[in-house]
């Protein structure tokens, strides 16, 4: 690896980390604002104009609040829980291609931290580790309600993981690669995978909701049944870490969804634009497009949250095992038959 | 049995058709409903800056009235305290001295008049009981405070401002 390339990657890691944090911070603000608009309210409007400094105020409060560790909590694991949650949420961003190759001062760089040829598997492996953060946190709290929340997270995990894996197999059959960069390249221009795999996309979408612990599948937390959820005993920034992890997760899975199905940084007419603005600005427009897709998808997560009531976990299991898995298998068979016939 | 009023509605429970069982059309319908609200004007009233207009018969903070000459109307008869279901009103009566005719309308007046706003339920019975039309609940919302003792409102807070000031 060249030195310039190495430096560029290190810069990219820092930038992506910073962007993930900022997006996560402002997702909490957006969530409150969007929720308010859906309920005909105004939402946070005290800190700064339109309340845009609200995340900073929240963060300051989180850091300054008293930190409570219950006497009977397993001290070490109690701290490991939220750290693990945020760690697994962050490292998923390593394989996401943020844009096509960019050329700066004669050098060409990939806008991706690393292009491993098992990118999709890596993402799936990393995000399914996220449930350990919740499990350990819920268990270490030494609180039966937290434990119930954690167990529900685990039951949710086994309900959707299989259908999620199956739902993208059909996509992988079409692309013939596990590298996210290649998948993004294949969808050049307007040849997005969602046109070829609408059913697969739908299944993936449902699973993505379960994976990010977002409503309607936010089973690990429920005020009416579990007092709070897996994070009942958490206070101050440790709770903040859990919330942060949720929003970073949402950001990363939106990015994965955009890359797998919505063409990533591709947009119609990108060749024409790239030819006119040069090889430095062109990829940056692609990055902006990708972020547009990500933000819409985050908005969609919030939109659904205020529309559909929470599932019971037996309903989620029914959905996962009796509906999503058969549909995913049918999708695989259908894709196989059609692509064989078209050859 | 035949219904007497003819108002009974018999609900039919039909089995769901395929589209209804597929769940997705209902979800799309729900999403569009939420979206409609996204673009609606917020109904919020930002309270301290913006105030909703109260109705005519709104009961707010009490005020002890003065008559047309600026004398206090209250004669400390105690009917308001007696009618108060929450026992929020206490008073001490005193006799009017010479030279105080311009302050109090009759020979007896309330030297101390206190309403405990934490007990008051704003029922308006004191207003109704008063034979001298001295007390009205025509004020604003009672402001918040930090200490319980600050919610015991004395004459300094209750009596109307003098006429010529």
């Amino acid at each position: 690896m060249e030195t310039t390339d190495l430096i560029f990657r290190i810069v990219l890691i820092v930038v992506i980390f910073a962007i993930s944090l900022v997006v996560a911070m402002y997702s909490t603000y957006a969530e409150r604002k969007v929720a308010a608009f859906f309920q005909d309210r105004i939402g946070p409007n005290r800190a700064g104009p339109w309340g845009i400094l609200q995340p900073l105020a929240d963060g300051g409060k989180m850091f300054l609040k008293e930190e409570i560790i219950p006497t009977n909590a397993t001290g070490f694991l109690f701290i490991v829980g939220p750290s693990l949650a945020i760690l697994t949420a962050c490292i998923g961003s390593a394989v996401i291609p943020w844009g096509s190759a960019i050329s700066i001062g004669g050098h060409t760089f990939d806008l991706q931290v690393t292009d491993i040829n098992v990118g999709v598997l890596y993402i799936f492996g990393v995000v399914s580790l996220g449930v350990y953060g919740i499990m350990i946190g819920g268990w270490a709290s030494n609180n039966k309600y937290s434990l119930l929340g954690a167990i529900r997270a685990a039951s949710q995990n086994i309900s959707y993981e299989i259908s999620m894996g199956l739902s993208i197999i059909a996509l992988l059959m079409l692309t013939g690669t596990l590298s996210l960069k290649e998948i993004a390249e294949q969808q050049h221009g307007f040849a997005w995978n969602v046109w070829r795999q609408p059913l697969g996309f739908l299944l993936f979408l449902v699973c993505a909701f379960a994976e990010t612990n977002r409503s309607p599948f936010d089973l690990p937390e429920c005020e009416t049944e579990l007092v709070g959820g897996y994070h009942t005993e958490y206070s101050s920034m440790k709770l903040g870490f859990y919330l942060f992890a949720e929003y970073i997760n949402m950001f990363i899975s939106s990015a994965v969804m955009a890359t797998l199905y919505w063409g990533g940084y591709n947009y119609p007419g990108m060749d024409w634009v790239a030819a006119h603005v040069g090889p430095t600005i062109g990829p940056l427009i692609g990055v902006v497009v990708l972020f547009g897709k990500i933000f819409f998808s985050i908005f969609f997560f919030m939109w659904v949250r205020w529309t559909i009531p929470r599932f019971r976990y037996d309903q989620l299991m029914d959905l996962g095992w009796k509906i999503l898995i058969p549909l995913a298998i049918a999708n695989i068979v259908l894709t196989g038959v059609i692509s064989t016939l078209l050859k | 049995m035949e219904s007497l009023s003819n108002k009974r509605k018999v609900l039919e429970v039909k089995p769901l058709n395929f589209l209804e069982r597929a769940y997705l059309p209902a979800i799309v319908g729900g999403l569009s409903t939420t979206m409609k609200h996204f673009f609606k004007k917020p109904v919020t009233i930002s309270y301290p800056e913006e105030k909703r207009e109260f109705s005519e018969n709104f009961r707010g903070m009490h005020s002890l009235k003065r008559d047309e000459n600026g004398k206090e109307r209250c004669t400390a008869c105690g009917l308001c305290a007696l009618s108060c279901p929450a026992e929020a009103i206490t008073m001490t009566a005193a006799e009017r001295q010479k030279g105080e005719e311009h302050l109090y309308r009759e020979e007896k007046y309330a030297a101390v008049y206190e309403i405990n706003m934490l007990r008051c339920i704003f029922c308006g019975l004191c207003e109704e009981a008063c034979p001298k039309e001295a007390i009205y609940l025509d004020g604003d919302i009672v402001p918040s405070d930090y200490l319980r003792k600050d919610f015991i409102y004395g004459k300094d807070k209750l009596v109307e401002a003098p006429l010529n000031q």
Side-chain angles (χ1 to χ4, degrees), chain A residues 33-34 37-42 45-46 202 299-300 303-304 306-308 311, chain B residues 23-24 27 30-32 34-35 37-44 46 48-49:
Chain A
K33 217 58 178 165
V34 166
F37 289 151
F38 278 137
Q39 296 168 349
D40 302 338
R41 298 186 283 118
I42 294 176
N45 64 350
R46 295 284 143 169
L202 217 56
F299 174 75
F300 185 75
W303 186 5
V304 168
W306 297 104
T307 305
I308 305 172
F311 277 54
Chain B
Y23 222 81
L24 283 177
I27 288 177
L31 286 174
S32 71
T34 7
M35 207 32 152
H37 281 271
F38 191 81
F39 295 107
K40 267 191 192 161
K41 202 171 162 285
V43 294
T44 311
S46 319
E49 293 100 40

Side-chain angles (χ1 to χ4, degrees), chain A residues 29-338:
Chain A
Y29 167 71
E31 174 101 88
R32 293 173 65 182
K33 217 58 178 165
V34 166
F37 289 151
F38 278 137
Q39 296 168 349
D40 302 338
R41 298 186 283 118
I42 294 176
N45 64 350
R46 295 284 143 169
W50 309 288
I52 49 170
L53 298 179
Q54 191 64 44
L56 299 179
D58 287 344
K61 182 185 152 194
M62 289 266 188
F63 275 114
L64 295 173
K65 270 186 92 163
E66 184 187 1
E67 193 171 315
I68 298 166
I69 297 180
T71 320
N72 290 328
T74 315
F76 174 64
L77 289 181
F78 192 71
I79 295 165
V80 165
S83 331
L84 202 61
I86 204 160
L87 177 80
T88 52
C90 283
I91 57 179
S93 59
V95 293
I96 291 165
W98 300 98
S100 46
I102 190 169
S103 127
I104 301 169
H107 296 280
T108 308
F109 305 106
D110 283 337
L111 277 174
Q112 187 183 17
V113 175
T114 177
D115 177 28
I116 49 179
N117 53 11
V118 288
V120 178
L121 288 183
Y122 169 82
I123 286 268
F124 275 53
V126 162
V127 295
S128 57
L129 283 178
V131 77
Y132 278 97
I134 292 174
M135 282 294 290
I136 288 174
W139 186 80
S141 301
N142 196 21
N143 172 336
K144 290 185 178 65
Y145 288 114
S146 305
L147 184 62
L148 276 174
I151 289 171
R152 278 166 47 152
S155 86
Q156 171 175 333
N157 203 33
I158 58 168
S159 314
Y160 76 81
E161 278 287 317
I162 295 176
S163 36
M164 187 170 205
L166 285 177
S167 72
I168 59 153
I169 283 186
L171 177 74
L172 299 178
M173 281 159 65
L174 289 178
T175 56
T177 174
L178 281 169
S179 149
L180 281 165
K181 187 177 166 59
E182 270 181 56
I183 292 176
E185 291 291 340
Q186 284 175 7
Q187 305 173 65
H188 191 77
F190 206 42
W192 297 351
N193 280 329
V194 68
W195 316 132
R196 300 195 288 173
Q197 281 287 326
L199 181 59
F201 167 69
L202 217 56
L203 297 173
F204 184 83
L205 184 69
V206 174
C207 296
F209 275 99
E211 183 210 295
T212 48
N213 291 331
R214 290 286 300 182
S215 184
F217 306 129
D218 51 349
L219 297 175
E221 47 190 295
C222 175
E223 276 154 34
T224 47
E225 295 155 19
L226 299 173
V227 184
Y230 62 96
H231 51 48
T232 307
E233 298 290 355
Y234 281 89
S235 59
S236 70
M237 203 55 209
K238 290 207 291 296
L239 174 68
F241 267 28
Y242 271 129
L243 303 183
F244 242 69
E246 180 185 327
Y247 285 99
I248 295 179
N249 248 329
M250 202 158 82
F251 175 57
I252 299 300
S253 42
S254 296
V256 172
M257 195 154 47
T259 309
L260 287 180
Y261 288 98
W262 291 101
Y265 47 80
N266 295 294
Y267 53 96
M270 65 185 294
D271 285 333
W272 185 86
V273 174
H276 281 75
V277 295
T280 310
I281 307 292
L284 287 181
I285 294 177
V287 175
V288 172
V289 168
L290 175 61
F291 269 87
K293 288 171 187 173
I294 291 173
F295 290 147
F296 178 77
S297 150
I298 290 177
F299 174 75
F300 185 75
F301 274 103
M302 293 170 183
W303 186 5
V304 168
R305 174 175 178 179
W306 297 104
T307 305
I308 305 172
R310 177 183 289 120
F311 277 54
R312 282 198 319 264
Y313 74 83
D314 61 311
Q315 288 172 326
L316 176 61
M317 280 198 179
D318 267 2
L319 183 73
W321 286 86
K322 293 185 186 164
I323 299 170
L324 294 185
I325 291 181
L327 274 179
I329 293 174
N331 190 35
I332 293 170
V333 172
L334 208 68
T335 311
V337 169
I338 292 177

